[in-house]
Amino acid sequence: MNQSFIINQLAEERESYFNAVAPPIIQTSNFAYPTVDEFKFAIENEKEEHIYTRGNNPTVDMLCKKMAALEGAEDCLMVGSGAAAISNAVISQINAGEHIISVRNPYTWANHLMTKILTRFNVETTFVDGTNIENFIKACRPNTKLIYLESPNSWTFELQDLKGIAEFAKSKGIITIIDNSYCTALCQKPLEFGIDLVVYSATKYYNGHSDVVAGAICGSREKISQIFHNEFMTLGNILSPQNAWLMLRSLRTLSIRLKQSSETTLKVIDFLKNSDKIEQLWYPFSNDNPQIELAQRQMKMPMGMFTVSFKEKRVDKIKKFCESLQNFLIAVSWGGHESLIMPKCAFVSADDPQVSMLRFYIGLEEASTLIDDLEKNLAIL
Ligand SMILES: Cc1ncc(COP(=O)(O)O)c(C=O)c1O
């Protein structure tokens, strides 16, 4: 199934809604049946039929089918946020008293889930440097049930060898979950490397317009069905039909948005690398990244986010630089149409060694607009 077919045709049943090109938003909480027998059949097949929108809704289903196909997965569940995707997926695979190995510095709320919530149920997590597979092997215990990955992570972009880790995990009967938000399925397909479940903050690239918070869980029919009948229906963290519709619209332009962001990012990085204000630059496809070969093997394209540190460590100067840029908003998140910066000095004290780090996300502006803005304001530092 090619990408254009998935995005433009798959699951679009236009004849059932007046041949409209754009699908309808089925804004309903429940679905009525003409006979008790049909109602009974739907109740007995809740995953496939439409009974109640906490479970299934046709607008959301259409999105799930497209997301699963893009991932090369048998099935997908859409949820109300990336954090919900992570927590539904992790909780679904773990029992009280079991052990998780997680990559070091996962996304903040994934970390919170493992260190503050699962600990209440006697689930312990060992955080390891994910750049070396040996660290996963060494951390393994008889009760290890889950390996949690994020490749690359979203400040310093360390990668994990997905194929190697998945092979090791399978040999021990351990489940693997990856947060693939940085890449999307267009850049990296973890299931092809043997990973079991892929989770997304679909808020980022998939939605891409900074107007929806959403999450996705992709995997085998068996695992997704298990999550549907347990965590998904119980925690009730659904994506609304309205937001699913906005995401369907966003998918139409996903590949062109990623291409534009990727190309501009390489140009901006080229410019910054030649600036004498920059101390260090973190980016998977950077020539001096010790993991560049792994990045080239696992990732199909360079993506739009990277971090720099400045030689200048004075916070007032860094703040002035950030506030003077006209085309970069100071904000969390990424993956939208607009370029963003996230200054580390908003999170750490002025004497922290990381204080001059600044994360960039490159949106859909022209490269020259962004580079001119940076060139003009780097003089502040
Ligand atoms: C890498 C990563 N994973 C997951 C999330 C959580 O996604 P959401 O904000 O959609 O809940 C984020 C959010 O910033 C993230 O950066």
Side-chain angles (χ1 to χ4, degrees):
M1 222 187 294
N2 68 44
Q3 207 172 282
S4 323
F5 176 81
I6 295 168
I7 285 170
N8 296 318
Q9 309 294 344
L10 180 70
E12 315 255 353
E13 292 168 11
R14 296 191 168 104
E15 64 284 3
S16 64
Y17 40 83
F18 311 105
N19 296 317
V21 172
I25 304 172
I26 307 293
Q27 187 70 34
T28 186
S29 57
N30 46 358
F31 299 82
Y33 287 83
T35 67
V36 174
D37 281 349
E38 283 166 272
F39 183 52
K40 183 173 188 293
F41 179 84
I43 297 276
E44 285 167 357
N45 295 279
E46 187 160 22
K47 172 84 173 65
E48 288 73 37
E49 299 299 315
H50 299 120
I51 300 168
Y52 190 54
T53 284
R54 173 154 48 78
N56 270 330
N57 173 283
T59 313
V60 183
D61 290 349
M62 186 185 287
L63 177 61
C64 290
K65 290 196 174 97
K66 287 180 191 283
M67 290 289 288
L70 284 174
E71 194 65 42
E74 286 176 355
D75 208 350
C76 165
L77 283 173
M78 291 305 302
V79 286
S81 68
I86 294 167
S87 48
N88 274 274
V90 169
I91 292 169
S92 74
Q93 300 305 315
I94 200 90
N95 298 304
E98 290 178 333
H99 174 240
I100 302 175
I101 306 172
S102 169
V103 67
R104 199 170 61 189
N105 301 326
Y107 170 64
T108 317
W109 294 101
N111 188 68
H112 192 93
L113 171 69
M114 291 184 265
T115 56
K116 298 287 190 301
I117 296 180
L118 292 181
T119 44
R120 297 190 344 231
F121 304 94
N122 198 21
V123 171
E124 234 185 288
T125 302
T126 306
F127 293 91
V128 299
D129 170 359
T131 58
N132 186 345
I133 189 169
E134 285 302 315
N135 296 333
F136 292 91
I137 297 170
K138 273 192 226 140
C140 192
R141 300 180 190 169
N143 65 339
T144 304
K145 181 74 183 301
L146 175 66
I147 292 181
Y148 183 83
L149 306 170
E150 188 183 322
S151 183
N153 83 352
S154 62
W155 263 101
T156 44
F157 310 107
E158 286 97 7
L159 279 77
Q160 298 105 58
D161 176 347
L162 303 186
K163 189 162 179 283
I165 294 169
E167 272 170 18
F168 164 69
K170 281 202 179 2
S171 75
K172 297 276 179 195
I174 297 171
I175 302 294
T176 43
I177 298 179
I178 185 170
D179 180 340
N180 201 36
S181 302
Y182 181 87
C183 289
T184 78
L186 272 56
C187 166
Q188 179 166 275
K189 289 214 165 66
L191 299 178
E192 288 178 1
F193 297 117
I195 300 293
D196 294 304
L197 285 169
V198 185
V199 293
Y200 287 104
S201 170
T203 314
K204 310 294 192 275
Y205 287 120
Y206 279 110
N207 182 62
H209 291 71
S210 305
D211 51 12
V212 169
V213 174
I217 310 169
C218 299
S220 67
R221 196 164 288 118
E222 186 193 345
K223 284 216 159 24
I224 294 295
S225 171
Q226 179 205 338
I227 298 172
F228 175 87
H229 290 291
N230 292 285
E231 291 73 21
F232 179 82
M233 287 303 289
T234 310
L235 300 175
N237 209 321
I238 60 160
L239 185 67
S240 71
Q242 279 272 353
N243 281 346
W245 186 87
L246 282 167
M247 282 211 50
L248 284 166
R249 188 169 69 160
S250 294
L251 284 190
R252 315 285 196 205
T253 56
L254 177 66
S255 77
I256 194 157
R257 286 187 285 105
L258 295 191
K259 186 165 177 284
Q260 166 84 5
S261 167
S262 175
E263 284 173 8
T264 310
T265 300
L266 294 179
K267 290 181 187 157
V268 172
I269 285 181
D270 240 21
F271 165 76
L272 286 173
K273 276 203 156 161
N274 290 317
S275 161
D276 60 2
K277 309 286 180 174
I278 303 293
E279 181 184 57
Q280 196 177 341
L281 191 145
W282 292 265
Y283 187 57
F285 282 81
S286 199
N287 288 333
D288 55 2
N289 175 13
Q291 292 188 293
I292 188 165
E293 264 182 40
L294 180 59
Q296 285 165 340
R297 194 159 13 110
Q298 283 184 175
M299 297 168 63
K300 295 189 176 72
M301 63 194 281
M303 300 300 281
M305 198 157 67
F306 62 92
T307 299
V308 300
S309 64
F310 298 115
K311 291 177 186 162
E312 176 62 71
K313 304 290 174 197
R314 283 172 293 180
V315 170
D316 57 333
K317 294 274 187 192
I318 296 163
K319 280 186 193 164
K320 183 148 189 253
F321 170 75
C322 293
E323 290 162 9
S324 302
L325 292 169
Q326 296 299 300
N327 296 279
F328 295 84
L329 304 177
I330 303 170
V332 295
S333 202
W334 83 87
H337 52 90
E338 75 293 9
S339 288
L340 303 173
I341 45 172
M342 188 148 89
K344 197 76 173 185
C345 63
F347 301 88
V348 300
S349 61
D351 57 355
D352 190 287
Q354 296 188 324
V355 76
S356 76
M357 286 170 80
L358 183 64
R359 192 179 81 181
F360 281 87
Y361 163 68
I362 302 299
L364 306 181
E365 303 87 349
E366 309 83 10
S368 58
T369 303
L370 300 178
I371 291 171
D372 288 352
D373 198 9
L374 289 166
E375 188 163 32
K376 186 163 142 240
N377 290 297
L378 276 170
I380 293 168
L381 297 171

